[in-house]
Amino acid sequence: MADELYLENIDEFVTDQNRVVTYKWLSYTLGVHVNQAKQMLYDYVERKRKENSGAQLHVTYLVAGNLLQNGHVCHKVAVVREDKLEAMKSKLSTIASVHVYSIQKALLKDSSPLYNTDYDIVKTNLHNCSKFSAIHCDAAVPRMPPDIPRAQTSLQGSSQRENDTGAPSAPAVNGHGPLAAKHPSQQHKGIMGMFAAKAASKPQDTNKETKAEASGVSTASSKPPTKNNIINNFFGKAAMNKLKVNPVPEQPKEEKEVVKPSVAVAEPESSPNPVVEKPGKRTESARIQQKDRKSRTKHVDRSDNEEERDPENAKRKRKRIKQLQSDSSDEEDVPPPPTPEEEKAPSPPPVPALKTELEPATMEVSAGGRKRKRKRVLKSKMFIDEEEGCMVTEKVYESESCTDSEEEFPKPKPPAAHKQPVLPMKKEPKEERKTLKKGAAPANRANKQVSIMGFFHKK
Amino acid sequence: MFSERVAPTAQGLLGPPSAEPPTFPRVPVLGYSDCSGPFRPGERSFGRQYAHVYAVRLAGMRPTLERRARGRWGNDAVLRKLSELQVGEKCCVVGTLFKAMQLQPSILQEISEEHNLVPQPPLPKYIQPSDELILEDELQRIKLEGAIDVQRLVTGTIVAVYGSEQDDGRFLVEDHCFADLPPPLPWNGPTSDRFVLLTSGLGLGSGSGEALLSTQLLVDVVTGQLGAEGEQSCAAHISRVILAGNLLSQNTQSRDTINKAKYLTKKTQAASVEAVKMLDEILLQLCTSVPVDVMPGEFDPTNYTLPQQPLHRCMLPLASPYATLHLVTNPYQANLDGVRFLGTSGQNVSDIFKYSSMDDYLEILEWTLLAGHISPTAPDTLGCYPFYKSDPFILTECPHVYFCGNAPRFQSKLLQGAEGQRVLLVTVPDFSTTQTACLVNLRDLTCQPITFSGFGAEDEDGDMEVGH
């Protein structure tokens, strides 16, 4: 008899599996109305006790009714053990309902197992938690994605928005699948475009695009697994372990000091690495950068007068020279020198290069503001923090007059190439760039003195 | 009231399964309109001084008070401003009260190094016998003495005093009055039983599992899973649930990240994250069955100053797609099925409690209604947005249900006004400590508490208040 099946089921749950069978759990498991589940439980208890009076079954009941308390009539709903049932019923002036709440083999000391069972079963059935309930509400329908008010500002791209709103409207347990899927494609497009042309305008475009893209932590969090492989290719094994840790904890943190270098991005000029890897890294770094940038300050990063593109370097070099001649301050000199220097070694450079590449984005804005000379500049310094095993980037205010590095920048401008390699060397310990190697790069770049200096003093 | 008529079917579920268990449809919403517009400042700028709040408050309430004064002390009572006072002349003055309290925490004193003061620990009450009342109007201020209860009143109340100025420069008060109940609203309530469930202080994330089962029982009763058929059909008459603040527990407010070293807290997540996830699940269960209004409270992730803005829907990804979820401001005002509700999450009442001799939350609630202002102590001791155009906390219409959340216990009272106002005052208890919620019947403006309990190791007998 199909009707008796439930009895066997309950028997199995209680006796064999030693579960706490609450009415709600039974209702979801057997797919029946809650009231039927309650009746099933009661039926089971009655029959079992009739068959075998020594049956080890403990039952809890739900009692609800009116109670006179503190001068007003209070409606009380209580879960009680079987032995206290009558006592509770006698306390109530009117009984509104009595039914079986749960059956279990062992005697319960307190009601937390009941709560846990209910919690678990509801959690696994969140999307249809009112399916077997006795009350049905017509008004409770989830809204379709476009109807959900778009509270976000225009910073986000429209496709992004659809993903964001699409996610919640999907079954409640839906993760960020669509969101993550969208992001890589968009970013890849942008990144491929970036690498394709190698034009100076590219980084700005990409950066703007990445800026425009959601700084969603959720998407970032879906990235690390895939990115790690790519990242590892760039770094040596020593740094790999350190860096692996970084992307993962980084993502959830939006406002902590973000470790940029975890994503190594090589400049087009310097690295022969496969283009495919770059988009990935650049994406993540760009995004991290953007997140970081957004979360930090909006005020102009004037100090980030760094650029990674040679054309821009050239442009600025020219500008700089002119300015030198016109006795302008050295602030603008800082940006061009740092850049080429960063392109030196594959492993360290990608890290700072990343910063330089992205910083120009903000520098775009201030590109015209080279007139500002005598101010404190906000520079990003990046160093490896050995004790924590991560690369830390700090934005530090340096005033022109007190930092040697910046004063020295204009000096190398004139063809004093020989001094170049020496100066950067000295700066290294100061800046704690332990992992940055110079290799033959400085010598090669003798003609590009400005950029060498920039490598060490940027960030 | 909730379940008297369902007693016959109480034991109906103690039997073998029946064929077709009934499903009851939720009562449809007859009418809902959110009147909390004034509590959403929209574009906010904090560049203004708070003095403007008092100026608009006085300007807004002066007409009402002058009318009351004339009604009380005669049409020929002389109304004066403080600058026009003459010694010995009996007149009536309308102004803002300021209570000079010695124990009132003052940030300037705390940070002053001259005084070398240790910051004062928070006290339950800051009143002292030596407190003084001062009346201020637009231009001047004057000390008050006489037939006015210094201990009971708080700063920021607009009051009309009748008396005369003395030689020593103080004002001797013979009588005083407040704005009294605002004009009544027409009654459009439902003709059949309809309930609104008021609850506050769910206190999720507190780390103690005591109230969790009770919260689950609450959700189950409202969604119709718990109870026999009669009770379920009654529960289907619950047309709305209002969560009046403190959905998160105070324990989630720990600011470890500020006190501890960075390396200790780098990878920890704030306690409120887990708590909000739990809240989301509970709200999802409720939203699939009943319209819910969620008000933020003192410990919820929203702004601190009153009026608190609604929780952002991005925190509740599971529940926010449902149209039945309404994230609303604190204070909250709305027309539910023709009945005007107005309430707060309790910060206003608990702040007045600290600075006044009144001990009973219901008494304080009634007093704010009679004083014509939801929260007179803002911005003095309670954080508030610097309004300058108008003060939205002034009561212009008398609500039908006036509640405050997070009270220590449940109390309710039906207040009748001289102009035909009928207000149900409800102090909604803190659910995490009392496991009690309130059911308001919209048909006849009565309120019944509903308590939930499980069983514990120490087990019953007696103290029902606390639950088990």
Side-chain angles (χ1 to χ4, degrees):
Chain A
M1 290 203 286
D3 291 340
E4 303 301 325
L5 268 180
Y6 70 82
L7 288 173
E8 288 165 15
N9 287 338
I10 300 176
D11 195 39
E12 184 191 329
F13 295 140
V14 175
T15 335
D16 302 336
Q17 297 178 13
N18 205 10
R19 277 180 190 275
V20 173
V21 179
T22 59
Y23 75 92
K24 206 191 279 188
W25 188 89
L26 192 70
S27 149
Y28 280 113
T29 315
L30 297 183
V32 294
H33 192 276
V34 284
N35 288 352
Q36 275 186 325
K38 295 168 197 166
Q39 286 169 327
M40 285 177 190
L41 285 176
Y42 181 76
D43 201 27
Y44 171 77
V45 171
E46 288 293 299
R47 288 189 197 215
K48 193 80 182 209
R49 290 213 168 132
K50 247 190 288 188
E51 291 167 6
N52 173 11
S53 58
Q56 218 204 1
L57 269 187
H58 290 102
V59 191
T60 59
Y61 288 87
L62 180 102
V63 184
N66 284 348
L67 176 73
L68 194 68
Q69 184 183 323
N70 289 350
H72 38 238
V73 178
C74 165
H75 187 82
K76 185 152 176 79
V77 177
V79 177
V80 292
R81 285 201 291 256
E82 198 169 10
D83 42 357
K84 300 281 194 301
L85 176 62
E86 293 306 319
M88 179 59 79
K89 273 160 84 168
S90 61
K91 270 190 223 165
L92 300 175
S93 57
T94 356
I95 298 176
S97 46
V98 179
H99 64 78
V100 177
Y101 192 87
S102 78
I103 302 179
Q104 55 279 333
K105 230 167 47 169
L107 180 68
L108 290 180
K109 291 244 173 33
D110 63 47
S111 33
S112 42
L114 300 178
Y115 173 72
N116 291 336
T117 317
D118 280 346
Y119 180 76
D120 290 336
I121 195 68
V122 168
K123 191 122 187 200
T124 50
N125 288 299
L126 271 180
H127 54 283
N128 58 350
C129 45
S130 274
K131 198 162 152 192
F132 303 113
S133 160
I135 298 179
H136 176 72
C137 179
D138 292 327
V141 285
R143 283 182 278 216
M144 299 312 292
D147 294 341
I148 295 174
R150 309 220 173 167
Q152 290 287 338
T153 61
S154 57
L155 269 185
Q156 313 268 347
S158 59
S159 54
Q160 210 79 6
R161 284 280 73 215
E162 276 164 12
N163 280 335
D164 287 341
T165 53
S169 70
V173 293
N174 186 24
H176 295 280
L179 205 61
K182 258 303 198 153
H183 278 240
S185 61
Q186 283 175 335
Q187 287 159 344
H188 278 179
K189 270 188 236 143
I191 289 154
M192 292 309 290
M194 221 167 54
F195 280 88
K198 266 207 201 179
S201 59
K202 277 293 187 309
Q204 286 77 37
D205 288 347
T206 319
N207 286 327
K208 282 188 191 125
E209 190 183 332
T210 52
K211 234 191 236 173
E213 285 170 352
S215 59
V217 179
S218 57
T219 49
S221 58
S222 62
K223 296 281 181 175
T226 56
K227 296 287 181 242
N228 272 337
N229 296 336
I230 301 166
I231 294 165
N232 294 342
N233 291 339
F234 272 77
F235 288 87
K237 295 217 178 89
M240 197 162 78
N241 295 337
K242 281 191 223 164
L243 295 167
K244 235 186 222 165
V245 180
N246 295 331
V248 178
E250 280 310 324
Q251 309 310 343
K253 297 185 222 156
E254 291 172 304
E255 306 208 331
K256 309 256 163 92
E257 292 176 53
V258 179
V259 176
K260 306 298 176 296
S262 65
V263 180
V265 179
E267 298 203 6
E269 303 95 66
S270 61
S271 78
N273 290 324
V275 177
V276 181
E277 294 179 345
K278 286 183 207 157
K281 270 184 284 295
R282 197 176 271 265
T283 313
E284 185 165 338
S285 60
R287 209 180 336 96
I288 297 174
Q289 183 72 6
Q290 291 305 318
K291 247 186 347 199
D292 181 58
R293 202 196 304 273
K294 268 189 195 175
S295 65
R296 298 215 190 177
T297 55
K298 296 278 186 192
H299 53 258
V300 182
D301 306 330
R302 249 176 289 110
S303 63
D304 299 336
N305 279 335
E306 301 156 327
E307 52 194 352
E308 72 288 12
R309 301 288 172 196
D310 280 343
E312 278 193 6
N313 286 349
K315 193 169 58 169
R316 293 188 184 187
K317 251 192 281 185
R318 267 180 250 120
K319 250 196 190 174
R320 181 180 27 91
I321 292 170
K322 278 190 196 139
Q323 285 165 345
L324 260 188
Q325 291 165 355
S326 63
D327 276 346
S328 51
S329 90
D330 13 273
E331 182 170 332
E332 282 74 24
D333 301 330
V334 178
T339 326
E341 294 192 341
E342 293 196 329
E343 302 166 14
K344 280 184 197 140
S347 48
V351 174
L354 163 64
K355 284 219 69 89
T356 55
E357 278 177 313
L358 298 170
E359 267 139 11
T362 52
M363 276 5 285
E364 282 291 279
V365 184
S366 59
R370 296 191 160 258
K371 290 31 169 215
R372 294 184 291 259
K373 321 249 170 177
R374 293 168 212 276
K375 298 220 181 150
R376 295 173 62 78
V377 293
L378 182 64
K379 291 214 170 290
S380 298
K381 284 196 195 298
M382 191 208 56
F383 57 94
I384 301 269
D385 190 352
E386 290 297 347
E387 67 195 89
E388 306 220 35
C390 64
M391 290 192 181
V392 185
T393 309
E394 282 178 313
K395 290 216 173 189
V396 174
Y397 274 104
E398 291 176 11
S399 63
E400 293 175 22
S401 46
C402 32
T403 311
D404 301 335
S405 55
E406 303 191 27
E407 283 169 8
E408 290 182 32
F409 284 150
K411 291 177 204 161
K413 296 283 162 27
H418 314 289
K419 292 192 188 126
Q420 290 309 315
V422 183
L423 292 168
M425 286 296 222
K426 284 184 194 152
K427 304 239 179 350
E428 258 198 350
K430 215 196 288 179
E431 314 237 74
E432 299 180 48
R433 301 268 181 100
K434 298 170 195 143
T435 60
L436 299 176
K437 304 171 199 137
K438 287 208 281 308
N444 295 342
R445 313 266 181 178
N447 53 345
K448 290 193 197 173
Q449 301 164 2
V450 197
S451 46
I452 291 175
M453 300 313 295
F455 173 44
F456 286 102
H457 302 289
K458 198 174 6 185
K459 318 237 187 328
Chain B
M1 99 185 177
F2 184 52
S3 47
E4 271 125 4
R5 51 200 175 92
V6 304
T9 58
Q11 317 241 3
L13 290 177
L14 293 176
S18 52
E20 282 292 327
T23 304
F24 307 99
R26 173 81 57 193
V27 288
V29 173
L30 279 183
Y32 170 76
S33 68
D34 188 358
C35 310
S36 308
F39 300 125
R40 293 177 192 243
E43 174 211 296
R44 279 169 272 179
S45 91
F46 286 86
R48 287 180 226 281
Q49 298 233 348
Y50 282 101
H52 302 292
V53 180
Y54 290 115
V56 292
R57 193 183 291 178
L58 184 57
M61 292 184 69
R62 187 180 273 278
T64 316
L65 274 159
E66 288 181 354
R67 204 172 45 245
R68 291 264 176 248
R70 293 208 188 282
R72 198 173 162 113
W73 301 308
N75 268 327
D76 51 353
V78 184
L79 280 167
R80 289 243 186 264
K81 295 239 165 91
L82 283 178
S83 51
E84 303 159 357
L85 277 184
Q86 288 158 22
V87 177
E89 183 199 8
K90 278 209 197 306
C91 59
C92 161
V93 185
V94 175
T96 317
L97 277 179
F98 176 76
K99 187 148 111 171
M101 302 169 72
Q102 196 185 12
L103 286 181
Q104 181 175 353
S106 160
I107 186 67
L108 295 176
Q109 279 185 345
E110 281 178 6
I111 61 176
S112 156
E113 277 143 17
E114 311 168 345
H115 292 240
N116 267 340
L117 280 182
V118 179
Q120 189 185 7
L123 295 172
K125 275 197 184 289
Y126 293 101
I127 54 176
Q128 269 215 313
S130 60
D131 296 338
E132 287 185 331
L133 272 184
I134 296 163
L135 188 76
E136 294 186 1
D137 70 0
E138 293 91 348
L139 298 173
Q140 294 188 357
R141 49 159 42 190
I142 194 167
K143 279 217 176 102
L144 294 179
E145 59 188 7
I148 196 161
D149 188 347
V150 180
Q151 298 300 308
R152 209 179 124 95
L153 297 174
V154 289
T155 305
T157 321
I158 309 290
V159 69
V161 291
Y162 186 71
S164 55
E165 186 186 354
Q166 303 300 296
D167 296 329
D168 61 355
R170 292 168 180 250
F171 193 92
L172 184 64
V173 177
E174 291 171 22
D175 196 9
H176 67 280
C177 78
F178 300 102
D180 215 359
L181 288 177
L185 280 173
W187 172 256
N188 277 330
T191 44
S192 61
D193 269 348
R194 259 166 190 270
F195 300 96
V196 169
L197 184 82
L198 285 171
T199 186
S200 76
L202 288 181
L204 298 171
S206 65
S208 90
E210 303 266 326
L212 284 177
L213 178 68
S214 304
T215 315
Q216 191 60 50
L217 290 177
L218 171 71
V219 172
D220 287 343
V221 167
V222 173
T223 55
Q225 310 211 357
L226 215 55
E229 281 175 23
E231 179 139 6
Q232 287 165 341
S233 76
C234 267
H237 287 96
I238 296 179
S239 68
R240 203 166 204 94
V241 173
I242 300 182
L243 299 175
N246 280 356
L247 307 154
L248 266 48
S249 144
Q250 191 172 13
N251 297 353
T252 60
Q253 301 294 301
S254 70
R255 310 277 287 274
D256 275 353
T257 47
I258 294 181
N259 302 332
K260 284 195 194 161
K262 190 102 181 205
Y263 72 95
L264 285 173
T265 58
K266 207 162 189 150
K267 304 227 172 112
T268 54
Q269 113 184 324
S272 48
V273 175
E274 263 313 308
V276 170
K277 278 196 210 156
M278 247 195 288
L279 175 69
D280 197 18
E281 284 159 15
I282 289 178
L283 283 179
L284 175 68
Q285 293 175 51
L286 279 176
C287 284
T288 51
S289 177
V290 67
V292 183
D293 294 339
V294 183
M295 290 167 62
E298 193 183 343
F299 306 126
D300 292 327
T302 183
N303 58 316
Y304 163 73
T305 53
L306 287 190
Q308 284 184 299
Q309 298 304 295
L311 298 175
H312 199 281
R313 60 181 191 85
C314 71
M315 290 193 282
L316 309 167
L318 298 172
S320 51
Y322 285 87
T324 42
L325 179 73
H326 299 104
L327 296 164
V328 296
T329 56
N330 167 33
Y332 174 52
Q333 181 166 238
N335 278 327
L336 306 180
D337 297 341
V339 178
R340 172 70 71 95
F341 273 69
L342 171 63
T344 64
S345 299
Q347 290 113 314
N348 56 333
V349 176
S350 58
D351 199 58
I352 296 174
F353 175 86
K354 278 193 258 182
Y355 294 98
S356 155
S357 60
M358 294 188 274
D359 278 328
D360 192 20
Y361 269 54
L362 191 68
E363 186 188 349
I364 296 175
L365 195 64
E366 187 180 346
W367 181 82
T368 58
L369 194 60
L370 293 173
H373 198 275
I374 298 175
S375 170
T377 52
D380 186 42
T381 44
L382 187 61
C384 162
Y385 173 74
F387 295 104
Y388 67 102
K389 283 199 192 134
S390 67
D391 186 349
F393 298 128
I394 298 173
L395 289 163
T396 48
E397 299 159 316
C398 191
H400 297 120
V401 179
Y402 184 43
F403 64 91
C404 87
N406 298 300
R409 58 200 173 96
F410 166 78
Q411 284 169 295
S412 85
K413 177 175 169 180
L414 188 63
L415 194 65
Q416 308 270 7
E419 294 169 17
Q421 299 102 333
R422 258 174 88 223
V423 192
L424 174 68
L425 301 170
V426 185
T427 56
V428 186
D430 184 51
F431 194 84
S432 55
T433 47
T434 60
Q435 281 94 46
T436 309
C438 310
L439 272 173
V440 176
N441 189 342
L442 297 182
R443 179 177 57 86
D444 56 3
L445 281 188
T446 51
C447 185
Q448 185 182 34
I450 177 166
T451 322
F452 302 88
S453 67
F455 54 88
E458 66 281 348
D459 221 85
E460 302 106 43
D461 169 75
D463 208 351
M464 301 282 203
E465 281 272 29
V466 180
H468 295 269

